[in-house]
Amino acid sequence: MAKGLEEGFTIIAPKDDHPVVYIVSDSIGETAELVAKAAVSQFNGGNVEIRRVPYVNDPQDIVDIVDEAQGQNCIIAFTLVLPELREVLVREADKHNIPTVDIMGPFLDALTLITAAPPKLEPGLVRKLDEEYFRKVEAIEFAVKYDDGKDPRGIQRADLVILGVSRTSKTPLSMYLAHKRIKAANVPLVPEVAPPQEIFSLSSHKVIGLTIKPQQLNVIRTERLKTLGLTSNADYASHERILKELDYAESIMKRVGCPVIDVTNKAVEETASKVLEIYYRGERYR
């Protein structure tokens, strides 16, 4: 019996000599099974048994499947993106007069005509795209939940932790990284507030420090105060306060031992590129 034949197939009221639809796929076979069920429903079920055979990627598996199917009242429906596997299945089925239904092949051929590009011929791409989408959504939700040090529990769960004083673009950077499917938590560094102890137990490549030139930070904070309707001479934007915060942040980053990126006059995309380079280099060699 072919590998996987005992797993994941749905049985609908089988009886002696009942019709059988084999679903053969190089991925999980959900697409072909949905098509088969839709067709079967047009016959009020028709006592049809649907057998799903997933993750078929070896020609010998196909030979085994056809050998089992021969002599039964059956058809074989398949979603195989590799042409060589499709050819083997059709050839073996023809030997035993078993009808086949190629669900994927004709569509791939038609799309090739209108896109003027060859298909990737990579099994399971739809599922991979779905997984990437949900990972991105999860990372975005993570960035929102653990923004600005709201919950230190996120530090241990994060792929990356961003440190920096106020207005060094920690939040935009975290959101940008989330769209790259990286869960980033960010922690503001304020002299009057002790940083969460969790940051000192992380691998250094999982923590990134952000710094900025005092003059630019003064401009940014002054503009921020204006948008809030506050006077620009508040302590928040004073030169002395900014230097105190930057010195404090530098001392924390040295304790952590993390890389530090100067974000002065840098777009978020440029900073993110450097962050990703550091992160993936660390993942590769850890």
Side-chain angles (χ1 to χ4, degrees):
M1 181 178 294
K3 180 178 65 175
L5 200 56
E6 293 293 340
E7 300 176 359
F9 55 81
T10 306
I11 300 177
I12 307 176
K15 65 179 183 180
D16 291 340
D17 198 34
H18 60 277
V20 177
V21 178
Y22 281 84
I23 303 295
V24 179
S25 176
D26 47 23
S27 186
I28 60 177
E30 282 183 337
T31 301
E33 184 173 16
L34 287 172
V35 172
K37 285 182 175 179
V40 165
S41 70
Q42 297 297 314
F43 298 87
N44 296 321
N47 295 320
V48 177
E49 176 185 346
I50 299 177
R51 301 182 183 178
R52 187 176 358 147
V53 191
Y55 304 115
V56 175
N57 51 32
D58 189 317
Q60 186 56 50
D61 288 342
I62 292 175
V63 173
D64 294 342
I65 294 164
V66 174
D67 284 345
E68 177 169 314
Q70 65 170 313
Q72 299 188 56
N73 181 22
C74 70
I75 63 172
I76 300 177
F78 59 95
T79 50
L80 298 169
V81 298
L82 295 177
E84 54 268 30
L85 292 181
R86 298 203 300 266
E87 291 170 5
V88 172
L89 179 51
V90 172
R91 184 177 66 246
E92 292 298 316
D94 284 347
K95 289 180 183 178
H96 303 287
N97 296 315
I98 300 174
T100 58
V101 181
D102 185 351
I103 294 174
M104 184 75 73
F107 213 131
L108 289 174
D109 294 340
L111 284 173
T112 299
L113 294 175
I114 64 172
T115 61
K120 292 183 177 180
L121 300 179
E122 182 179 340
L125 276 182
V126 170
R127 190 171 182 84
K128 290 179 181 178
L129 289 173
D130 286 345
E131 289 174 353
E132 287 187 2
Y133 171 77
F134 287 115
R135 282 201 300 269
K136 181 188 294 186
V137 171
E138 184 180 5
I140 292 171
E141 291 176 345
F142 186 94
V144 172
K145 183 175 182 179
Y146 298 110
D147 179 47
D148 210 28
K150 291 175 183 174
D151 187 344
R153 291 175 298 181
I155 292 173
Q156 296 292 348
R157 297 179 52 214
D159 297 320
L160 269 175
V161 177
I162 309 298
L163 306 179
V165 300
S166 174
R167 314 313 294 175
T168 48
S169 298
K170 298 185 301 299
T171 296
L173 176 60
S174 297
M175 295 304 298
Y176 187 95
L177 293 171
H179 281 82
K180 300 296 183 181
R181 300 176 298 280
I182 290 178
K183 296 178 182 177
N186 70 80
V187 177
L189 298 179
V190 184
E192 292 77 16
V193 180
Q197 288 300 306
E198 289 86 351
I199 66 173
F200 300 109
S201 62
L202 296 176
S203 299
S204 59
H205 80 280
K206 293 188 67 174
V207 184
I208 301 289
L210 303 182
T211 190
I212 190 172
K213 294 291 189 293
Q215 297 85 347
Q216 185 175 6
L217 186 55
N218 172 262
V219 172
I220 293 172
R221 288 190 174 184
T222 299
E223 290 300 317
R224 175 61 174 167
L225 289 172
K226 288 180 182 178
T227 62
L228 295 175
L230 301 174
T231 59
S232 59
N233 61 355
D235 185 51
Y236 176 71
S238 71
H239 189 67
E240 293 76 13
R241 175 65 188 186
I242 286 173
L243 289 177
K244 179 180 179 180
E245 288 190 25
L246 290 174
D247 287 344
Y248 172 75
E250 182 181 358
S251 69
I252 296 298
M253 293 171 194
K254 284 182 177 178
R255 281 182 60 192
V256 174
C258 64
V260 178
I261 297 174
D262 189 338
V263 300
T264 304
N265 296 321
K266 284 187 174 65
V268 171
E269 295 84 355
E270 187 178 357
T271 302
S273 177
K274 292 182 178 295
V275 170
L276 291 170
E277 179 184 350
I278 294 168
Y279 173 71
Y280 285 121
R281 186 170 63 238
E283 285 291 289
R284 190 178 305 120
Y285 294 111
R286 72 186 179 94

